[in-house]
Amino acid sequence: RSRKGPGGHVSAAGPVAACCRADSRSSDNGDNRCYHAGILGGGLMNLRIYFVGSHSSGKTTLARYVSETYGLPLLTEVARTILAEMETTLDGVRVSPKMADAFQNSIFQRQTQQEQDAAAAGGFVSDRALDHLAYAAEFSRVVSSIFTSTEFNPYIASLKASNVLVFFVRPHAEL
């Protein structure tokens, strides 16, 4: 859970935040991160944390907070980068089935590669996990080819690893 704190900043709620408030240690450079890796079962630097949910539910805000709090690299969605590379817009992709297929296939390839590269270097926080597969199923014809690709089963297996946490972020009632 999170809530808006003074100045509109997101603050953590729950046991992690309580621990950090009770025994926060500052380093010489003014860093106020909580240094209790044991809260998350140790091995924090190899932990992969995913936030999953609909658009505008706060995934990126939460992922950014966790990334900054625990010093883990932040992986964000790749769709906008791919749209720029394709020199088109989301509306432009949606009117062309061929472009939609290429777009969704590129997202799957790029997202899985980005996660593999980051996992090889240690832990990370991502504001996406299965989202790109849901969008591929909804907006293209390539989901069956993604599901039968050589990358799909290892990707799903990687999400089931013991060092992975996946959080579902429900949209706020007011949105």
Side-chain angles (χ1 to χ4, degrees):
R1 297 181 317 224
S2 67
R3 61 179 179 270
K4 294 274 182 172
H9 292 90
V10 174
S11 61
V16 172
C19 176
C20 292
R21 284 192 303 270
D23 188 25
S24 183
R25 300 176 190 165
S26 296
S27 65
D28 292 335
N29 65 4
D31 186 358
N32 286 330
R33 294 182 188 153
C34 175
Y35 289 92
H36 293 125
I39 293 169
L40 299 174
L44 186 62
M45 296 317 295
N46 289 318
L47 192 62
R48 297 181 346 217
I49 303 170
Y50 294 90
F51 291 94
V52 179
S54 63
H55 68 283
S56 299
S57 60
K59 296 182 305 288
T60 302
T61 300
L62 287 169
R64 196 170 282 125
Y65 173 81
V66 171
S67 171
E68 291 171 3
T69 300
Y70 295 101
L72 293 169
L74 176 65
L75 306 182
T76 57
E77 55 113 354
V78 297
R80 289 184 182 105
T81 302
I82 293 170
L83 283 173
E85 291 169 0
M86 293 175 73
E87 298 180 350
T88 189
T89 64
L90 190 55
D91 289 336
V93 166
R94 288 186 175 161
V95 297
S96 168
K98 187 181 254 185
M99 282 184 74
D101 293 347
F103 177 59
Q104 294 299 335
N105 214 9
S106 293
I107 290 172
F108 176 72
Q109 297 296 325
R110 185 86 51 92
Q111 186 78 30
T112 54
Q113 188 62 54
Q114 180 187 50
E115 291 175 21
Q116 287 172 359
D117 293 347
F124 62 83
V125 180
S126 178
D127 65 353
R128 303 285 182 269
L130 301 168
D131 305 54
H132 57 293
L133 297 175
Y135 286 119
E138 179 70 19
F139 297 112
S140 73
R141 305 167 296 182
V142 297
V143 75
S144 61
S145 65
I146 289 173
F147 285 5
T148 58
S149 70
T150 57
E151 296 90 355
F152 182 74
N153 285 333
Y155 176 70
I156 296 300
S158 76
L159 293 174
K160 296 178 182 180
S162 62
N163 65 330
V164 172
L165 296 173
V166 179
F167 294 95
F168 176 70
V169 181
R170 294 186 301 181
H172 192 275
E174 294 177 11
L175 296 179

